[in-house]
């Protein structure tokens, strides 16, 4: 034991929470993939930083430069975990270097007078040796874990979508590498479809999910795609399936397939890859809260239903402008102002005849405008749920 080093370590121990916070912040500032980590992921990074810095202090204070087998085992586990969540290997290794430099700089800035030059030299050399050993263990475990994941393409594809849904894949470069590694060609603006059994008593089986994928003209996860690279992903959340789909698949095809298989769902169209997590939450929460009559004339809700339900249930994510945009769509364009006017009058008066009289047009003209409104929005104003959605969006637009 080195008394001067032990005294410094004792003082740093009392302020280690702040040192770790500074190290983690430095990592987030320096490495883009770490900036969007929150909740459990950020807590995991903080816990690893706390343990790693304490271990470095213990080794330095005791004059023991070598990590033991338990340390090696832990870093191998970290390497395997980072492979599973898709965090880029180079970024993981850089995070250790950044955090270590914060620690060394803190020691040399705050405690230089309490230490001798050999103490500082031993600290710097010990950190370099530790990073070298850490890198070797993490790289080895990361490579082995990635090989295992990619050898089972179905599992690897599902894990990628799991990571996108959870927001664990934040680096565009790393995502591009992973997509290429898995022989995928994902659309830049995919559609997110979440489905569940129509009846609460029915279970969602893997066979049903496979049948749905086949009905949409896609290749199931455990089969080899023919001629073209796979452009979709699929995973499960209990009794729900999540599908990331190319936007070339028509809504009518999805409706027909869901009806045939006794499924209902919600589809968020033209999400971005970075917005997959938000799309999942919007669709999932819509299925949690939608009344039965929202499905009276269809099996699949849309983005407008999701945003309307977020507003009606007073969720913090509710956005009135999104309700207007997704429910009314092109009705807000100047060229369709007369159609929106006819729709508003119909909702306000309750009948086409009364609406026509209010606008001083022929009833047939008013009925034509209602048909055009239905064509443009996909919503029948005679349906209670669609009338609520349209009326809410119209009122919000007028208020905005």
């Amino acid at each position: 034991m080195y008394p001067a080093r032990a005294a410094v370590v004792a003082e740093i121990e009392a302020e280690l929470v702040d040192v770790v916070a500074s190290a983690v912040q430095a990592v987030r500032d320096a490495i883009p993939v770490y900036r969007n980590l929150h909740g459990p992921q950020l807590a995991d990074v903080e816990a690893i930083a706390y343990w790693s810095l304490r271990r470095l202090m213990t080794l330095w204070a005791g004059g023991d430069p070598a990590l033991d087998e338990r340390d090696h085992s832990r870093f191998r586990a970290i390497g395997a975990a980072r492979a599973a969540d898709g965090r880029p290997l180079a970024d993981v290794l850089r995070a250790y270097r950044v955090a270590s430099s914060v620690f060394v700089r803190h020691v040399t800035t705050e405690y230089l007078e309490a230490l001798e030059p050999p103490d500082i030299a031993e600290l710097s050399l010990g950190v370099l040796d530790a990073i070298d050993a850490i890198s070797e263990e993490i790289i080895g475990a990361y490579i082995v874990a990635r090989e295992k994941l990619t050898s089972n393409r179905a599992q690897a594809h599902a894990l990628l979508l799991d990571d996108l849904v959870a927001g664990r894949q934040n680096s565009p470069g790393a995502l591009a590498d992973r997509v290429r590694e898995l022989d995928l060609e994902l659309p830049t603006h995919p559609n997110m479809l979440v489905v569940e059994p129509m009846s609460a008593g029915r279970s969602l089986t893997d066979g049903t999910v496979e049948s749905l994928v086949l009905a949409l003209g896609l290749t199931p996860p455990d089969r080899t795609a023919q001629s073209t690279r796979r452009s979709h992903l699929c995973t499960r959340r209990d009794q729900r399936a999540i599908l990331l789909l190319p936007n070339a698949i028509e809504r009518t095809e999805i409706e027909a397939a869901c009806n045939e298989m006794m499924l209902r769902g919600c589809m968020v169209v033209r999400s971005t890859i970075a917005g997959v997590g938000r799309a999942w939450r919007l669709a999932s929460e819509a299925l949690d809260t939608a009344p039965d009559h929202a499905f009276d004339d269809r099996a699949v809700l849309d983005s407008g239903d999701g945003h309307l339900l977020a507003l009606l249930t007073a969720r913090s994510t509710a956005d009135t402008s999104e309700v207007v945009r997704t429910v009314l769509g092109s009705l807000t364009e100047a060229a369709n102002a007369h159609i929106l006017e006819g729709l508003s009058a119909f909702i306000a008066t309750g009948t086409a005849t009364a609406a026509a009289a209010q606008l001083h047009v022929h009833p047939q003209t008013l009925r034509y405008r209602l048909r055009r409104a239905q064509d443009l929005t996909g919503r029948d104003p005679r349906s209670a749920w669609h009338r609520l959605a349209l009326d809410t969006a119209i009122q919000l637009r007028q208020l905005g």
Side-chain angles (χ1 to χ4, degrees), residues 45 62 191 200 233 238-239 303 310 313 395:
V45 171
N191 293 342
L233 295 172
D238 297 322
Q239 290 305 303
S303 307
T313 55
Q395 299 307 315

Side-chain angles (χ1 to χ4, degrees), residues 271-391:
S271 170
T272 62
I273 292 295
V276 164
R278 291 190 298 274
W280 148 251
R281 288 189 293 275
L282 183 69
S284 182
E285 289 169 355
L287 291 175
D288 287 340
T289 56
D292 289 340
H293 69 274
F295 295 95
D296 279 353
D297 60 344
R298 61 197 170 148
V300 180
L301 305 178
D302 61 22
S303 307
D305 299 302
H307 287 295
L308 175 64
L309 287 161
L311 180 67
L312 294 177
T313 55
R315 286 201 294 274
S316 59
T317 54
D319 185 336
T320 55
S321 65
E322 282 299 289
V323 176
V324 174
R325 184 186 69 82
T326 55
V327 171
L328 296 181
S330 62
L331 285 188
T332 59
E333 297 174 3
N336 295 321
H338 62 297
I339 299 175
L340 182 58
E341 180 186 48
L343 175 64
S344 300
F346 173 79
I347 291 174
T349 62
T351 68
T353 303
Q358 183 183 87
L359 297 178
H360 307 293
V361 299
H362 194 279
Q364 283 300 104
T365 300
L366 195 287
R367 292 187 182 95
Y368 168 76
R369 293 183 184 181
L370 293 179
R371 287 195 297 272
R372 287 292 297 142
Q374 185 172 348
D375 290 340
L376 293 173
T377 64
R379 298 182 184 277
D380 184 349
R382 296 168 299 180
S383 158
W385 176 256
H386 292 315
R387 186 165 58 251
L388 171 64
L390 292 166
D391 191 18

